[in-house]
């Protein structure tokens, strides 16, 4: 159980960190996503900051489990919001979203299973 928890948490943290970096540096892919979802570019730094906080929170969860649980919950909610943004504009390209969402849900589930609810 511990190995699965650590592996999935580190993987989710890496995914969130890479996504945060692309948003914070203004890479073309997040810009295309913002255009497709009809969201303003001014949201990019905010979204990148949320992803970066989630990534760091997952890692901090190894020392303080409640932080990891809160970070994983925040990432799950973030990606639910991303799904809503996709569906709002009629986008059905959800493979990338699904990878991030499933990884975040798995991190939350494994963290709760390993540490308990509180």
């Amino acid at each position: 159980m511990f190995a699965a928890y650590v592996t999935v948490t580190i993987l989710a943290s890496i995914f969130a960190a890479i996504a945060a970096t692309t948003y914070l540096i203004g890479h073309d892919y997040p810009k295309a996503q913002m255009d497709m979802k009809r969201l303003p570019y001014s949201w990019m730094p905010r979204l990148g900051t949320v992803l970066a906080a989630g990534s760091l929170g997952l890692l901090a969860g190894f020392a303080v489990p409640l932080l990891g649980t809160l970070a994983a919950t925040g990432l799950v909610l973030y990606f639910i919001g991303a799904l809503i943004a996709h569906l709002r504009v009629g986008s059905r390209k959800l493979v990338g979203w699904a990878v991030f969402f499933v990884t975040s849900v798995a991190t939350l589930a494994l963290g709760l299973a390993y540490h308990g609810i509180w």
Side-chain angles (χ1 to χ4, degrees), residues 35-58:
D35 289 339
M36 184 260 302
K37 295 172 192 154
R38 297 191 297 261
L39 297 172
Y41 286 162
S42 63
W43 287 21
M44 285 180 58
R46 293 177 185 111
L47 295 173
T49 302
V50 170
L51 287 166
S55 176
L56 293 174
L58 291 177

Side-chain angles (χ1 to χ4, degrees), residues 46-102:
R46 293 177 185 111
L47 295 173
T49 302
V50 170
L51 287 166
S55 176
L56 293 174
L58 291 177
L59 296 178
F62 290 126
V64 182
L66 181 59
L67 286 178
T69 301
L70 293 173
T73 302
L75 287 172
V76 168
L77 293 173
Y78 176 94
F79 290 115
I80 289 172
L83 174 64
I84 292 168
H86 274 277
L87 296 178
R88 182 179 61 90
V89 297
S91 172
R92 300 295 183 253
K93 297 179 180 179
L94 298 174
V95 174
W97 169 85
V99 169
F100 282 95
F101 181 71
V102 168

